[in-house]
Amino acid sequence: MTHEQQDELEQVALRVREHIVRMSTNGGCFIGASLSCADLLVYLYWRFLNISPETVNDEDRDVLLLSKGHDVPALYGVLAERGFISKERLAHHLSVEDIIYWHPNRGVSGVEFHSGSLGHLLSVGMGMALDARMKGLPTRVVVILGDGELNEGSVWEACLVASALSIDNLVAIVDRNHFQANLRTEDLIPLEPLSEKFRAFGWDAMHVNGHDMRSLDKCFGSLQLNTGRPTVVIADTRRGKGLPSIEEQADRWFCNFSADETDALLDELNGNARATITSERLIVR
Ligand SMILES: [Mg+2]
C-alpha cells in the first residue's frame, strides 16, 4: 500500500467517523463500538471485498455481515461514502421517514442481513459460504463479531460446524476492543487466550492492529484461503477510537449527545486526526 493510498483510506475513515458522531444525537447510537470498527470496515470495503454499488446484487459478490449489529452507524457511514446509499439518508437516522436505524436492515442497499440480537450471523455467514462453495462461486464471506458477542454459545457452535465442513471461504473478524457494554471483557467472562481457542476449534487465527491501514493491508494481503480451514482475524481496536474524550471510557458505549456536544465532538475528532496523522507521519516517513 502506498502512502497516498493510506492517506486516502484514513481520510475516508475520518469522514465515516464524522457520520457516526452526527448519528449520536437525536436519539443517539452505540458510538463507542461504531468508532472501534470504522477503520476495519473502510479497509475491507476499499481494499478487500469484491463488492460495489454496481455489483451489490451479483451472485458471485463477496459478502460482509455485521453480527455486532449495534455498531451499524459505522456500516451506514461506509455504505454512504462508498456510494451504496446517499449521504443525505444518514440524516434520517432514527427518523420515521427511513429504515436507517439502530440495527442493520437488509432493506438498506449493501446491508446483507439483519442483526442486533447477538450470536447469529456467524451461522448465517457459514451457510452463505457453504452455498457459494456448492455453486462453485468465488464468494468470500466476512463476518464481523464483537468480542463480548463471543459469550454467545451459538458462535462456538458455528465454529465447530465451519471447521467440520472445512468452510475455508469464511473469515470471521473479531473487533477486539476489550469492552462489553460498560464492562471490560476480561472482568466479566475472560476470553484470552482467544486465538488459541479458535485454533482449538480448527480455525486459522491471525492478529492485526485494527486501526492501522498498512497493518490491515499486510494481514488481509497475506490471508490464505482454500486451506480447508476457516479463518479468524482478531483485530485489536479501541472503543471510541478517534475521540479521546470518550475513548476506552466504560460508560461511553451508548451516547445521545446534544447538538452543541456533537459540534464539539466533531472539532475534537478533526483536531485529534490532524495531531495523529502528523505525529505518525513524522515517525514513519
Ligand atoms: Mg467489544
Side-chain angles (χ1 to χ4, degrees):
M1 175 184 285
T2 66
H3 290 305
E4 288 71 26
Q5 290 168 330
Q6 180 186 0
D7 287 342
E8 183 199 355
L9 294 188
E10 289 174 351
Q11 287 303 315
V12 174
L14 179 58
R15 294 198 296 274
V16 169
R17 285 193 163 86
E18 289 174 339
H19 293 315
I20 294 168
V21 169
R22 291 194 184 97
M23 281 184 264
S24 68
T25 188
N26 292 327
C29 72
F30 293 94
I31 185 170
S34 301
L35 292 170
S36 79
C37 71
D39 298 308
L40 194 52
L41 285 172
V42 168
Y43 176 80
L44 292 169
Y45 273 89
W46 264 258
R47 298 281 296 182
F48 183 74
L49 293 168
N50 177 26
I51 188 169
S52 68
E54 294 74 34
T55 62
V56 69
N57 294 315
D58 287 4
E59 194 179 28
D60 63 351
R61 70 186 183 280
D62 286 341
V63 170
L64 182 131
L65 298 173
L66 196 61
S67 196
K68 51 181 298 243
H70 48 286
D71 59 6
V72 72
L75 180 60
Y76 291 151
V78 165
L79 293 177
E81 286 294 329
R82 191 72 177 78
F84 287 86
I85 60 174
S86 72
K87 293 174 188 171
E88 289 71 31
R89 283 187 71 181
L90 301 181
H92 298 168
H93 182 237
L94 304 185
S95 159
V96 293
E97 301 164 33
D98 207 328
I99 53 174
I100 304 289
Y101 203 67
W102 275 328
H103 296 289
N105 185 316
R106 65 189 304 188
V108 178
S109 179
V111 174
E112 296 277 3
F113 210 82
H114 304 273
S115 59
S117 184
L118 296 166
H120 295 301
L121 291 204
L122 190 57
S123 293
V124 172
M126 180 176 64
M128 293 171 103
L130 182 60
D131 176 65
R133 187 175 77 183
M134 293 172 72
K135 290 175 178 169
L137 299 171
T139 300
R140 301 168 299 176
V141 179
V142 175
V143 183
I144 300 193
L145 302 162
D147 48 4
E149 184 182 9
L150 300 182
N151 290 355
E152 299 281 359
S154 52
V155 172
W156 299 98
E157 292 176 38
C159 284
L160 281 173
V161 179
S163 172
L165 298 180
S166 302
I167 302 178
D168 55 10
N169 55 337
L170 176 66
V171 180
I173 303 176
V174 178
D175 182 3
R176 184 72 171 111
N177 61 26
H178 293 266
F179 275 96
Q180 175 171 9
N182 58 346
L183 292 169
R184 286 193 171 271
T185 58
E186 301 312 283
D187 292 336
L188 187 62
I189 299 178
L191 293 168
E192 297 300 336
L194 189 53
S195 55
E196 290 177 31
K197 287 175 180 163
F198 276 100
R199 288 189 185 112
F201 274 69
W203 287 54
D204 288 333
M206 304 170 74
H207 280 269
V208 68
N209 177 338
H211 297 306
D212 182 78
M213 294 299 176
R214 298 181 78 83
S215 298
L216 287 164
D217 202 45
K218 195 173 172 186
C219 172
F220 284 92
S222 67
L223 209 59
Q224 294 287 323
L225 301 182
N226 305 315
T227 60
R229 294 180 298 279
T231 301
V232 64
V233 175
I234 298 167
D236 280 320
T237 59
R238 293 173 71 85
R239 202 169 72 175
K241 175 70 175 179
L243 284 175
S245 64
I246 70 166
E247 194 172 307
E248 306 255 272
Q249 301 294 309
D251 61 343
R252 292 305 204 181
W253 52 302
F254 180 93
C255 295
N256 182 15
F257 292 112
S258 68
D260 287 346
E261 287 172 324
T262 303
D263 287 343
L265 288 170
L266 289 171
D267 288 343
E268 180 187 347
L269 185 67
N270 281 281
N272 180 66
R274 280 193 297 275
T276 303
I277 289 171
T278 301
S279 63
E280 288 183 355
R281 293 297 181 276
L282 286 173
I283 295 167
V284 173
R285 296 184 185 178

